[in-house]
Amino acid sequence: MPEMPEVEIIKRYLDDKLVGKNIKDICIKLDRLIKYPSPSKFERRVKGKTISAVIRKGKYIWLEIDKGYKVIFHLRMTGALVYSSEGEVLDSARIVFSFNDSSVLCYYDTRTLGAVYCIATEETGVISALGNMGAEPLSKEFSPKYLANILAGKSTKIKTFIIKQEYIGGVGNIYADEALFLANIHPLRSASSLNSKEIKKLHKAINKVISEGIKDGGTTFRDYRNGAGEKGRHQEKLNVYARKGMPCTVCNTVIEKITVGGRGSHYCPRCQRINDK
DNA sequence: ACGAGCACCTGTGTGC
DNA sequence: TGCACACAGGTGCTCG
């Protein structure tokens, strides 16, 4: 579900609430969400530890705990991390972390596609996608030059390219469609076909949609909730995503939806012409 | 090396 | 109303 802006919002909230808390107990209601190590080992590693920081990288978010362990979450499509100072736990909670002061952190996940790990310092290879992640939008490393370098020679369609985490960390389907709209680039263009002007425009557009997404508290299309269980507001500002059949906010042309790399892709056929040069 | 297709899941909206 | 089907903020696998 969440892309980088949504995970960042959760991270900021949880960092404020969880640092210094001791994990008194853990209740795993769905074993298969624990990808590493086994659920019983996971429990042994986590129980009794104190949280020193909450970190995000791309769409991953984790708790730093004692002895160099990290409790890492990937929320996939419908995962949510909700903190409650009152100790509120809904029936739908999949994993519950209880703290020494009776507050709780619940992991919710309707579709149960998420992934949870407890990784020791030396076990970095367990999640290869974390190590192979490309530069993140808004980072210093993510420059127009970086983008130009990784686009060069790639025949992949630009839409597919943007959401590949090994190239750009954190961008998902919504923000990719929105960035391509702002940059006036058709999603089916090949990555290597972009000229330097378009690359600069796309770089700027990606940074813009991601930073505005964060500013608006994320995009709630259906399931996304922040660390307090509330919706985001950025869905009100989307130009193309989920707007099939509606008028373009710039030119009034009807927004179209096609499938690119297996993902629904929304664009304005006038603002994003395939032959634009 | 890359893309297509599918698998993993549940819930919701649509059309008949 | 009910049923079948398509589709959903993601990723990782197999296969050609």
Side-chain angles (χ1 to χ4, degrees):
Chain A
M1 130 214 209
E3 304 180 33
M4 174 185 151
E6 290 73 37
V7 183
E8 176 64 18
I9 295 296
I10 296 169
K11 183 254 165 192
R12 290 181 188 181
Y13 185 83
L14 295 183
D15 195 46
D16 183 50
K17 300 291 180 188
L18 299 184
V19 170
K21 291 204 191 276
N22 184 269
I23 303 166
K24 194 174 79 183
D25 206 2
I26 173 169
C27 176
I28 302 167
K29 301 209 223 176
L30 188 60
D31 279 354
R32 64 180 155 75
L33 291 172
I34 309 290
K35 308 298 180 185
Y36 185 90
S38 66
S40 56
K41 276 189 191 165
F42 179 94
E43 204 173 313
R44 252 177 282 147
R45 285 184 174 194
V46 174
K47 217 168 163 175
K49 302 290 198 308
T50 297
I51 298 168
S52 57
V54 183
I55 311 286
R56 178 195 62 74
K57 184 177 176 187
K59 300 173 193 171
Y60 289 86
I61 181 171
W62 67 84
L63 315 175
E64 301 266 353
I65 60 174
D66 302 333
K67 316 238 176 203
Y69 287 115
K70 303 180 199 309
V71 182
I72 306 184
F73 301 85
H74 194 301
L75 310 178
R76 294 284 173 93
M77 296 291 264
T78 57
L81 281 166
V82 179
Y83 170 81
S84 166
S85 58
E86 313 293 312
E88 183 185 42
V89 178
L90 303 182
D91 287 347
S92 54
R94 307 292 188 182
I95 303 170
V96 182
F97 299 81
S98 305
F99 302 113
N100 47 340
D101 60 358
S102 81
S103 61
V104 292
L105 174 69
C106 292
Y107 176 75
Y108 295 96
D109 191 345
T110 304
R111 289 175 67 182
T112 70
L113 295 174
V116 184
Y117 315 77
C118 183
I119 307 291
T121 311
E122 68 277 11
E123 294 172 334
T124 48
V126 171
I127 310 175
S128 55
L130 244 184
N132 296 334
M133 193 175 296
E136 289 190 18
L138 311 183
S139 70
K140 202 171 171 184
E141 190 191 355
F142 182 67
S143 62
K145 193 177 170 188
Y146 172 89
L147 190 55
N149 283 342
I150 56 170
L151 285 168
K154 303 286 197 315
S155 57
T156 316
K157 294 171 188 71
I158 188 65
K159 163 64 186 284
T160 306
F161 182 92
I162 294 174
I163 60 178
K164 280 217 159 198
Q165 303 300 294
E166 61 192 286
Y167 298 137
I168 307 174
V171 181
N173 208 32
I174 295 179
Y175 294 98
D177 281 4
E178 294 297 315
L180 286 172
F181 171 79
L182 289 189
N184 301 112
I185 295 169
H186 192 289
L188 289 176
R189 294 268 304 275
S190 79
S192 59
S193 76
L194 273 60
N195 63 37
S196 62
K197 199 176 159 188
E198 289 173 323
I199 293 170
K200 279 183 193 152
K201 204 168 174 185
L202 179 60
H203 171 265
K204 196 176 162 187
I206 291 171
N207 276 343
K208 185 173 157 82
V209 295
I210 293 294
S211 61
E212 294 200 342
I214 294 171
K215 206 169 74 189
D216 293 334
T219 303
T220 298
F221 188 59
R222 339 185 126 169
D223 302 286
Y224 167 69
R225 295 294 182 274
N226 67 19
E230 303 155 344
K231 296 182 182 186
R233 301 176 307 279
H234 194 67
Q235 60 278 9
E236 295 155 21
K237 297 190 190 167
L238 298 175
N239 287 298
V240 287
Y241 186 84
R243 295 196 68 246
K244 177 189 174 187
M246 295 161 77
C248 172
T249 51
V250 170
C251 73
N252 273 336
T253 303
V254 171
I255 300 301
E256 291 186 5
K257 182 181 178 188
I258 55 174
T259 298
V260 183
R263 310 300 302 277
S265 299
H266 314 73
Y267 69 103
C268 169
R270 183 163 172 200
C271 295
Q272 298 165 266
R273 279 181 249 229
I274 188 117
N275 291 323
D276 261 4
K277 275 276 158 357

